[in-house]
Amino acid sequence: MRRAGLGEGVPPGNYGNYGYPNSGYSACEEENERLTESLRNKVTAIKSLSIEIGHEVKHQNKLLAEMDSQFDSTTGFLGFRST
């Protein structure tokens, strides 16, 4: 089905509005692209931050495990000395 008046007056090959002259579609599409890129950048930043947090948690867990081991050996040493 062909709609009357659509695309009339649009130069051939000018598909910025997808054949809909003065429809504002191009402006909406540009705004969507801008917002999509902004969202993509935010998601990338959150992903990087979450990866960094994961690395920090692993490092802190390693330090805590080492401290626990040292406290256990100190407790054993002190318990052995007091008997």
Side-chain angles (χ1 to χ4, degrees):
M1 178 173 166
R2 187 163 192 232
R3 296 182 187 199
L6 293 180
E8 292 177 8
V10 177
N14 185 0
Y15 300 106
N17 290 332
Y18 292 91
Y20 297 93
N22 302 321
S23 68
Y25 185 79
S26 180
C28 289
E29 190 66 24
E30 288 175 13
E31 179 70 7
N32 284 342
E33 290 295 325
R34 186 184 65 76
L35 292 172
T36 300
E37 184 63 29
S38 175
L39 182 60
R40 183 179 294 118
N41 291 337
K42 290 174 184 177
V43 168
T44 300
I46 291 171
K47 181 180 176 183
S48 296
L49 184 60
S50 67
I51 290 170
E52 289 178 30
I53 289 171
H55 291 306
E56 183 65 24
V57 166
K58 287 179 184 178
H59 178 69
Q60 294 294 326
N61 282 340
K62 181 181 173 188
L63 291 176
L64 287 172
E66 290 172 3
M67 286 176 57
D68 187 45
S69 176
Q70 290 174 356
F71 281 128
D72 284 345
S73 66
T74 303
T75 302
F77 177 73
L78 292 175
F80 179 72
R81 288 288 211 186
S82 61
T83 20

